[in-house]
Amino acid sequence: QECSAWASPQLQVLKSARFGRGVVTRSKVESGTLLMSVPFNCTLSREAALQDMPRLRKLKRYIEANSTAQQLVSERILLATYVMLRLKNPRGRYASYLSDLRDELASTVTSMPVFWSSDEYLELTGSSMLEAHADLTAGSEYRVVLDAFPSLAGKHGLSDYIVAASLVNSRSWDSGGGNPVMVPGMDLLNHFLPEPSSVLNDEECKAYKSIGESTSAYRNKQAGAWELRTKLRHQKGEQVFVAYKLASNAHTLSKYGFVVPWIHNRTCLAETWLHKPAQEVPEWPFARFWKESMLTARMGALALQVDSCIGQGFDDALAAARVWSVQARVEDLKADCGLPSGKPQDWRLPVNCSRISRDEELEALGFLESMARARRSGMAGGTLQQEESLTTDASVSWKLRAAATVRRDEKYALSQIERFVSEAKAQLRQRGAEWRSYLADVPRGPVAKSFHALGRAAERSE
C-alpha cells in the first residue's frame, strides 16, 4: 500500500497438495483482465537493496575494484547478501515481505537439490545436472562477501548464503541486462505450460512460452510497474499460472525445485554433457599435441553438450572429436581445414576437411560413442525404461521421482546419441569416395511445424 501496489479482489492465496502456495481466482475472470500491478519502486532490486542497506555499497565497491572477485560472482550477489542479512530478523522497508519469505522457506526452497539429504543427492550421481546446473558459484560468492565484511563470518554461514541465493534465483525476474528483481506478490505465481500435441523444435520452444501461457507477467515501462494480465478466461477457483520459461528439467529442478514430465519427448531440451578427461584422450602421435595443449591450458577434460534432437550441439561435438581422430600435422590442419588457433575447447574440424579420411571419421564417431557410454555407465539409477517407470511410481518420494525424471531425460538424450552414431556409422561404411555427405541421410530430431498448429495445441476451452 505504501507504494500503490494493487491486486485484484478476484484473487486469493491458497495452498494445494500439487503446487503448494499459489494464487487462485475467487470468481470467473475474463481474458485480458489486469490482475496485479506492482510499481517498480515496490520491487526489491539491487538498487533498492543498496538504498535500504547503505553498507552494501562497501561490497559493491570491493567487487568493482577487484578483478578476481568479478570472476567469482554473479549478478545476484548484492541482492542475495541483502536477503541473507535481513532474513533472520527482517526490518527496513521490505520487512513484511522478508518475513513472509522466511515463514514459507519449508515449502519453497527445500525442494531444490542443494537442500536434499546426502542420500537423496546421491540419486543424481553422474548426471550432467551436477556440473551444468548445480549452483557452483554460491561458495565463491560467499567468500567474496566475507572478504568485504570479515565480521560476518561468525554470524552468517555459507548455508545462510545458499538459502538467500536460492530465494533470489527462484523468486526473481529479469528486469533487463540480467539484473534480478524480486516482485512481492507476483512471485507467488506458480509455473505451468500445457503439454504440446507434438514435438517442438528449437525455434518453436522459444515461442511456446508466449503461446502456451494462460496469464502474462510483464514489465510495463509506460505504467512504471510489473503487471499481470490474463490471456485466457479463468473459471472460479482456478489457479493463476505464469510460464517461467521452457527449459530442461535439470534447470527447473535446480533453480525452482520442480520437473515437467513431458520435456524429454516434446522438446529438444533434454541434454547431456559428454566428458573426456585429458588423461584419457588418444595417445597416437598427433593427438599427443592436443593432450599436451589441454594440460598446458589447465583444461581437465573435453566437455561437449548435445541435446536429444541431435542438433547443432552434436555437429559441434563431432567437429571436436575429429581433432582427436585425424592423423595430420597441426600446420596442415590450420592451412587446409581452418583449424583455429586459440584455446583447446575451441578446436573444431569440419567434415569437408580434406585431411580427414573415412576411417578417421569413423574414429571420431566412435570417440563420441565411447563418451556417451561412459556418461551413462557413471549415472545412478537403472535403464531408461526403469527410470521411466520410476518417474510415476507413487510408492517413492517426490524427490526420488524428480531425480529419476532428470536421469530419464539425460539417458534419453544419450540413447538418441548412440542411436544416431550407430546409424551414421552404417551410412558411412556404405559410402565410397563421396562419403562426406553421409550425415544428411541419418534421421535427427523433429521437423519444423507451423506456429498456427502450435497455437491450436496450446488453446484451452473457454
Side-chain angles (χ1 to χ4, degrees):
Q1 293 179 346
E2 291 179 10
C3 52
S4 302
W6 175 86
S8 169
Q10 293 175 288
L11 301 179
Q12 60 183 328
V13 177
L14 295 176
K15 288 187 177 181
S16 69
R18 181 180 178 188
F19 294 102
R21 194 166 64 153
V23 178
V24 178
T25 58
R26 294 179 184 271
S27 58
K28 185 169 70 173
V29 179
E30 297 296 331
S31 62
T33 301
L34 181 65
L35 294 179
M36 200 177 295
S37 177
V38 183
F40 295 156
N41 66 342
C42 278
T43 62
L44 179 50
S45 62
R46 290 181 302 191
E47 293 73 20
L50 288 167
Q51 185 175 357
D52 196 53
M53 187 184 287
R55 66 173 171 149
L56 279 181
R57 298 186 186 280
K58 180 180 178 182
L59 174 59
K60 182 174 183 288
R61 290 193 298 269
Y62 176 80
I63 295 171
E64 290 173 344
N66 191 316
S67 59
T68 301
Q70 293 169 18
Q71 301 299 316
L72 298 175
V73 304
S74 67
E75 295 289 341
R76 72 179 178 201
I77 186 170
L78 290 175
L79 197 50
T81 303
Y82 174 87
V83 172
M84 178 183 72
L85 296 177
R86 285 281 198 254
L87 197 62
K88 289 184 178 180
N89 183 25
R91 60 188 185 277
R93 186 179 182 198
Y94 300 93
S96 59
Y97 175 59
L98 293 169
S99 294
D100 182 71
L101 291 182
R102 180 196 59 196
D103 295 343
E104 293 295 325
L105 275 177
S107 62
T108 52
V109 299
T110 53
S111 60
M112 301 171 194
V114 69
F115 299 102
W116 291 7
S117 70
S118 56
D119 287 343
E120 291 165 341
Y121 202 74
L122 283 174
E123 296 295 327
L124 296 169
T125 298
S127 71
S128 295
M129 174 182 168
L130 299 185
E131 302 149 12
H133 297 283
D135 192 349
L136 302 177
T137 61
S140 59
E141 285 185 357
Y142 175 69
R143 288 191 292 273
V144 170
V145 172
L146 291 187
D147 288 342
F149 299 117
S151 62
L152 293 181
K155 301 176 183 178
H156 298 276
L158 174 59
S159 61
D160 295 325
Y161 187 82
I162 290 174
V163 168
S166 298
L167 284 170
V168 173
N169 283 347
S170 62
R171 302 180 77 93
S172 64
W173 307 69
D174 185 359
S175 63
N179 186 11
V181 58
M182 302 175 80
V183 186
M186 207 169 287
D187 61 0
L188 292 171
L189 297 160
N190 289 314
H191 164 90
F192 179 75
L193 277 173
E195 180 177 353
S197 59
S198 55
V199 183
L200 308 178
N201 63 25
D202 287 342
E203 290 303 313
E204 293 162 345
C205 275
K206 294 174 184 177
Y208 192 65
K209 175 185 179 296
S210 62
I211 293 173
E213 64 184 1
S214 61
T215 311
S216 177
Y218 54 92
R219 191 171 185 266
N220 188 335
K221 291 183 179 180
Q222 186 173 0
W226 284 86
E227 295 184 345
L228 178 71
R229 192 178 296 273
T230 58
K231 298 175 73 172
L232 297 175
R233 178 184 298 165
H234 286 63
Q235 301 300 324
K236 178 181 178 180
E238 186 174 347
Q239 185 159 173
V240 178
F241 294 103
V242 291
Y244 299 169
K245 67 181 293 187
L246 193 56
S248 70
N249 278 320
H251 174 88
T252 56
L253 181 60
S254 62
K255 184 171 183 178
Y256 304 111
F258 66 81
V259 293
V260 179
W262 48 263
I263 286 294
H264 73 297
N265 59 12
R266 285 291 183 265
T267 74
C268 298
L269 295 170
E271 62 186 15
T272 186
W273 281 85
L274 305 179
H275 281 190
K276 178 69 75 170
Q279 61 269 27
E280 295 180 14
V281 298
E283 285 290 349
W284 50 71
F286 296 108
R288 287 198 194 104
F289 168 80
W290 314 126
K291 181 174 181 177
E292 291 170 1
S293 298
M294 282 179 66
L295 294 173
T296 300
R298 297 184 180 179
M299 183 176 167
L302 180 66
L304 306 166
Q305 184 181 20
V306 184
D307 65 52
S308 59
C309 292
I310 316 298
Q312 182 59 43
F314 179 87
D315 292 333
D316 182 72
L318 183 55
R322 291 186 185 108
V323 172
W324 301 96
S325 305
V326 65
Q327 300 198 39
R329 295 190 311 158
V330 176
E331 295 77 8
D332 293 335
L333 293 175
K334 289 182 177 180
D336 299 341
C337 304
L339 179 74
S341 298
K343 300 178 181 179
Q345 59 262 36
D346 297 329
W347 295 333
R348 301 291 186 270
L349 288 174
V351 69
N352 61 2
C353 171
S354 60
R355 295 287 177 172
I356 299 173
S357 68
R358 186 174 64 169
D359 286 344
E360 288 167 343
E361 183 74 4
L362 282 168
E363 289 282 350
L365 289 168
F367 188 80
L368 290 186
E369 187 175 44
S370 68
M371 294 171 78
R373 288 176 177 169
R375 168 63 77 181
R376 180 164 44 81
S377 66
M379 292 180 67
T383 65
L384 177 59
Q385 293 72 25
Q386 290 170 332
E387 302 287 26
E388 186 68 56
S389 297
L390 192 55
T391 62
T392 56
D393 187 348
S395 68
V396 302
S397 71
W398 176 86
K399 290 177 182 178
L400 293 183
R401 294 199 301 273
T405 300
V406 169
R407 296 195 307 258
R408 184 273 315 274
D409 288 5
E410 183 161 9
K411 289 175 183 179
Y412 175 74
L414 290 167
S415 73
Q416 292 301 302
I417 294 170
E418 292 178 89
R419 187 261 324 157
F420 186 87
V421 167
S422 176
E423 295 179 11
K425 283 182 173 181
Q427 280 286 343
L428 190 55
R429 290 188 180 105
Q430 294 173 10
R431 299 299 183 97
E434 302 299 322
W435 61 268
R436 296 183 191 276
S437 62
Y438 76 103
L439 288 174
D441 295 323
V442 185
R444 297 204 184 208
V447 296
K449 297 172 288 300
S450 72
F451 287 102
H452 180 63
L454 283 175
R456 288 200 306 272
E459 282 175 6
R460 195 176 60 187
S461 173
E462 296 199 35

